[in-house]
Amino acid sequence: MTRVPHGKVTADSRGTHPAHRTGTSDAPRTRILIVGGGYVGLYTALRLQKKLAAELKSGATEIVVVTPEPYMTYQPFLPEAAAGSISPRHVVVPLRRVLKHCRIVIGEARSIQHAKKTVTLTTLATDEEGTGPIELTYDELVLAPGSISRTLPVPGLADYGIGFKTVEEAIGLRNHVIEQMDIASSTRDPAVRSAALTFVFVGGGYAGVEALGELEDMARYAARYYHNVSAEDMKWILVEASDRILPEVGPEMGKYTVSELRRRNIDVRLETRLDSCEDRVAVLDDGSRFPTRTLVWTAGVKPHPILAASDLPLNERGRLKCTAELAVDGVEHAWAAGDAAAVPDVTSEEGKECAPNAQHAVRQARVLGDNIVAALKGQPRTNYAHKYAGSVASLGLHKGVAHVYGRKLKGYPAWFMHRVYHLSRVPTFNRKARVLAEWTLSGLFKREIVSLGSLEHPRAEFELAAGGERPKESS
């Protein structure tokens, strides 16, 4: 293991080891280490950049962001990216461009010893160097690793399931759906055709419902360009274990969403679970069996594994116990927000926690950044207090539901509100302008329905030319 000592000056042309560097004085700089480059990681770093501009310039403070990807993904736009309404590159925000005064380390945090103020991490270079993980020290720790998909021990899920948390998964799913339509159009086997045109989504939360709504809308549009595939040939199935979908928009809007989906011939199965998907057959606990080549798993999330690999206090759900000031409860110099943090909701009755969603994460990051600065300067800190404003969800082009500040909207008004809200939330003016331009152009021209699945195997043609074999379809 390579250890980067506290305050020691090191040189590394690739920036693999983000060590302390001294400024004009011999005093070691204060290092703020942010684990995660999602909502909380990005917005907290932006806030700290602004509030500590003088300290960063003088070298008295250093902000290091450790993240597995060099970009932040704006996840509410994933369904539209999958449907082709937004370009994939406009769904992500490049961290190096936005966080100009932070050090970005592309790597994975493996364990945390807060008692020693060290994080063990691996980077893209550690395997190449053969030196093992790096042990990085810090003064203030911000844990914002987000969450990962919560899977269940369903037979066949690991082999055939498709996730929907990353931009790669969203674009891969779009390519996959169009490829299934191509297979159905060209096969002579009725069983292959039926399986190719059957799409099963498990999970009735935001991710599942929005992904299903946008992709069904896209596939319905694409079908007009196939001579032997129609929208009526496709079978779309939504499986939800509870008795309603989209609980965030309220019971009334949830019921409307079920009615809207069923009106589009989408089979919504409430209080139903997936028992198995072995051999590309989705078996439900109500006895139904659906041969399918597409099974999308969006049945919830769970805390990132790095939390369990730390010596910080966790609650019964595996999230960090935090105070209303967004500090880890009972621990000095450790902070958290977003999906990783169990933050008490001071605007509601005692005992309730803030929901782990983007709305709270973005607002918590602002307070978190201010409180870290206050702690460094010995100033009073403030509690995070934000009453949940409501929710919006897209169900496809010009279709949506919303429950905002007590008002309930559906159809086009809800869809429009969905776009306006998320356009205001996506980081940087650059991204806002690009997304708005794409929406404007998509209203003037027809959708693109091209599958670029070959991007997932960019060396396939060369390998074939060099005497290899063409890679087989993985899903």
Side-chain angles (χ1 to χ4, degrees), residues 238-421:
L238 177 63
V239 180
E240 167 56 38
S242 69
D243 60 353
R244 61 176 177 166
I245 63 175
L246 291 182
E248 297 87 352
V249 298
E252 183 180 338
M253 290 294 97
K255 290 179 181 177
Y256 166 80
T257 303
V258 172
S259 299
E260 167 64 18
L261 295 178
R262 286 174 173 166
R263 186 185 64 78
R264 290 158 58 178
N265 293 322
I266 296 173
D267 185 355
V268 180
R269 304 281 181 112
L270 301 178
E271 299 183 281
T272 307
R273 298 177 183 274
L274 177 71
D275 278 349
S276 170
C277 57
E278 289 182 303
D279 302 321
R280 287 182 166 170
V281 178
V283 181
L284 309 184
D285 65 359
D286 63 3
S288 303
R289 298 172 60 88
F290 299 99
T292 178
R293 297 170 62 88
T294 308
L295 190 138
V296 184
W297 182 269
T298 61
V301 296
K302 64 182 180 180
H304 195 282
I306 185 60
L307 303 184
S310 75
D311 55 356
L312 297 170
L314 306 179
N315 69 1
E316 64 280 359
R317 295 185 178 182
R319 299 166 68 196
L320 289 165
K321 294 180 180 179
C322 291
T323 67
E325 296 177 349
L326 304 175
V328 177
D329 194 16
V331 179
E332 294 291 328
H333 309 294
W335 312 80
D339 290 355
V343 179
D345 186 352
V346 299
T347 66
S348 64
E349 58 194 67
E350 189 175 352
K352 279 197 171 185
E353 297 174 353
C354 295
N357 55 40
Q359 185 179 143
H360 281 300
V362 172
R363 289 173 170 83
Q364 285 173 357
R366 188 178 300 114
V367 177
L368 175 55
D370 290 346
N371 280 346
I372 292 173
V373 173
L376 291 175
K377 297 182 177 181
Q379 299 172 349
R381 297 180 283 190
T382 59
N383 288 341
Y384 170 74
H386 170 70
K387 193 171 183 180
Y388 190 55
S391 300
V392 291
S394 171
L395 304 178
L397 189 63
H398 300 160
K399 296 177 279 287
V401 290
H403 188 185
V404 182
Y405 294 113
R407 298 190 63 183
K408 300 169 185 176
L409 300 173
K410 55 189 178 183
Y412 185 89
W415 171 84
F416 183 76
M417 179 174 285
H418 173 273
R419 284 201 160 182
V420 170
Y421 174 76

Side-chain angles (χ1 to χ4, degrees), residues 80 110 130 142 203 214 220 224 259 288 312 366 390 449:
E80 291 204 53
R110 302 297 182 181
V142 178
E214 292 283 354
R220 179 182 293 273
R224 68 180 68 180
S259 299
S288 303
L312 297 170
R366 188 178 300 114
I449 56 168

Side-chain angles (χ1 to χ4, degrees), residues 11-205:
D12 189 331
S13 60
R14 288 171 297 180
T16 301
H17 305 275
H20 281 289
R21 294 178 183 174
T22 55
T24 54
S25 68
D26 293 331
R29 64 169 57 177
T30 298
R31 174 182 290 166
I32 303 172
L33 178 62
I34 301 175
V35 177
Y39 292 110
V40 175
L42 171 64
Y43 282 103
T44 301
L46 281 171
R47 194 71 171 177
L48 290 171
Q49 268 192 170
K50 180 180 178 180
K51 293 284 186 176
L52 298 173
E55 290 83 351
L56 291 169
K57 186 176 181 180
S58 68
T61 300
E62 176 186 39
I63 303 172
V64 179
V65 180
V66 176
T67 173
E69 303 293 346
Y71 53 78
M72 173 265 204
T73 301
Y74 191 72
Q75 291 186 338
F77 280 161
L78 289 183
E80 291 204 53
S85 299
I86 302 177
S87 171
R89 67 184 184 278
H90 298 155
V91 178
V92 299
V93 180
L95 296 178
R96 295 188 191 279
R97 179 190 296 176
V98 177
L99 303 178
K100 297 178 181 178
H101 304 293
C102 300
R103 299 201 61 186
I104 309 299
V105 180
I106 307 305
E108 288 271 8
R110 302 297 182 181
S111 65
I112 297 171
Q113 288 185 292
H114 188 66
K116 298 180 180 180
K117 290 190 178 178
T118 61
V119 171
T120 301
L121 60 101
T122 55
T123 71
L124 296 177
T126 49
D127 287 340
E128 297 288 336
E129 294 172 340
T131 55
I134 301 167
E135 195 173 79
L136 184 64
T137 58
Y138 58 83
D139 297 286
E140 301 288 336
L141 174 68
V142 178
L143 270 172
S147 56
I148 63 173
S149 294
R150 177 177 61 86
T151 59
L152 299 175
V154 176
L157 181 61
D159 297 319
Y160 302 112
I162 304 172
F164 200 79
K165 273 188 67 67
T166 67
V167 66
E168 294 86 356
E169 288 174 329
I171 303 309
L173 182 57
R174 167 187 167 80
N175 292 332
H176 175 82
V177 168
I178 297 176
E179 285 174 0
Q180 299 314 302
M181 297 177 70
D182 291 336
I183 290 172
S185 177
S186 57
T187 185
R188 297 180 181 180
D189 188 329
V192 172
R193 176 184 170 89
S194 177
L197 294 179
T198 299
F199 307 95
V200 180
F201 286 68
V202 181

